[in-house]
Amino acid sequence: MKTIYVKKTLSGIFSENHLRRGLSVAGLFVFAFILGGVAARIADSQQAARVSGNSMQTEAGAGMEEAGLNETEASDLTAGTDLTEIMETDTGIISADTVNWGLGFGEAGTKPTGMATVEELAQYNAYFMSDTEEKILYLTFDCGYENGNTEAILDALKAHEAPATFFVVGYFLESAPELVKRMVEEGHTVGNHTYNHPDMSQISDMVSFQKEMEDNAVLFEEVTGTQMSLYYRPPQGKYSVDNLKMAQELGYATFFWSLAYVDWYQDDQPTHEEAFNKLLARVHPGAIVLLHNTSSTNAEILDELLTKWEEMGYTFRALSDFVE
């Protein structure tokens, strides 16, 4: 491959005739200089590719359906995202097109990089982690449906006096109203994950966008007698700049995440060891943690996980930190 690249490069510099006849002594020096430059460029590009591949381990947006990603696929940026474009910018990007929220991880305990920076998201009242070095964690759970694990999650949170935010969809409100009431009674926040859990990035008009949000908020008020917090999480982590602007116009703060793992396959749950390996190694100051209420592994390990994080010096805070 290198030989072909060198030949093509040289053919653009010297004519075939010149190459066949040979070069003068002076020409040989020029030739060697050019050849050295070409080789250096090849080496540089290969090194850059290695660095990019090693540093940009990503975990895809974790939604109720997640487009059928398995754990290996969820380690890469999802479709529609240009990895090269992201790697070539120091400040991240916010694409005008549909983007799936993803993360790039470095050394254990360090903050990840997102599809956009903290500063870029903040202009749309959107967040994925806190820009702090304090050992604070923000616990969030996406709730698409109930399968018997939410009570254990609430029990663990209560035992540690840890506030959390539950992003619920319409079906969860309809099918598990008592659990939603318990969330409110125990001081947790309930946020908007839309009524039908659609790909909101494909909704381009405010009327349709607002209906998804309002239908869910109205149902929450009917169930609990209280108003839903103006916190929004895009289903499957799919968003666009227009979505962020529409949510902002409706008064919502949009919340992505900076720590998550593949926990949403009900019939293929990670082992306790796998969960701890991801959630302990990647934890970092100011993390917004995304977990799913449908995960039996989460229900089984949450009490121990919270204890381990506390032993590492972490405390738990509410998302209100971001908007007050």
Side-chain angles (χ1 to χ4, degrees), residues 185-206:
E185 289 166 1
E186 295 184 358
H188 300 297
T189 302
V190 178
N192 204 326
H193 203 35
T194 73
Y195 184 82
N196 290 301
H197 198 268
D199 177 355
M200 294 290 277
S201 68
Q202 299 303 306
I203 296 178
S204 58
D205 64 290
M206 175 58 94

Side-chain angles (χ1 to χ4, degrees), residues 203-230:
I203 296 178
S204 58
D205 64 290
M206 175 58 94
V207 173
S208 300
F209 189 95
Q210 186 171 2
K211 180 173 173 54
E212 275 293 333
M213 305 290 274
E214 285 191 353
D215 285 355
N216 209 35
V218 167
L219 180 56
F220 173 81
E221 189 168 354
E222 290 173 358
V223 169
T224 66
T226 62
Q227 290 190 332
M228 176 176 274
S229 295
L230 294 176

Side-chain angles (χ1 to χ4, degrees), residues 107-110 133-137 160 259 275-287 304-316:
E107 294 180 5
T110 61
E133 294 308 317
E134 243 187 296
K135 285 194 168 183
I136 300 167
L137 298 179
H160 290 263
L259 176 59
F276 283 129
N277 284 344
K278 291 285 179 69
L279 295 172
L280 296 180
R282 291 179 176 177
V283 70
H284 61 87
E304 185 180 356
L305 176 64
L306 297 181
T307 299
K308 288 180 181 293
W309 277 337
E310 287 169 336
E311 290 171 350
M312 295 170 72
Y314 284 94
T315 58
F316 310 107

Side-chain angles (χ1 to χ4, degrees), residues 173-195:
L173 289 165
E174 292 167 347
S175 59
E178 295 308 313
L179 287 173
V180 179
K181 290 176 185 177
R182 180 181 170 185
M183 292 170 187
V184 174
E185 289 166 1
E186 295 184 358
H188 300 297
T189 302
V190 178
N192 204 326
H193 203 35
T194 73
Y195 184 82

Side-chain angles (χ1 to χ4, degrees), residues 287-304:
I288 296 178
V289 182
L290 164 61
L291 300 172
H292 284 79
N293 73 305
T294 54
S295 167
S296 58
T297 296
N298 289 342
E300 292 160 5
I301 71 166
L302 188 59
D303 181 58
E304 185 180 356

Side-chain angles (χ1 to χ4, degrees), residues 8-34:
K8 285 185 177 178
T9 303
L10 292 177
S11 68
I13 301 169
F14 300 103
S15 69
E16 191 174 346
N17 254 355
H18 282 93
L19 289 174
R20 284 179 178 172
R21 289 179 195 162
L23 299 166
S24 63
V25 175
L28 283 172
F29 281 113
V30 174
F31 180 84
F33 177 78
I34 293 170

Side-chain angles (χ1 to χ4, degrees), residues 98-157:
T98 298
V99 177
N100 282 34
W101 183 252
L103 299 168
F105 294 97
E107 294 180 5
T110 61
K111 292 186 176 185
T113 55
M115 305 300 295
T117 66
V118 169
E119 294 77 18
E120 287 172 326
L121 287 176
Q123 63 185 311
Y124 302 106
N125 203 21
Y127 311 91
F128 79 102
M129 66 178 177
S130 174
D131 188 14
T132 181
E133 294 308 317
E134 243 187 296
K135 285 194 168 183
I136 300 167
L137 298 179
Y138 300 92
L139 305 175
T140 71
F141 294 84
D142 283 4
C143 302
Y145 57 97
E146 174 54 28
N147 62 352
N149 293 303
T150 307
E151 277 198 56
I153 289 171
L154 287 167
D155 290 344
L157 293 171

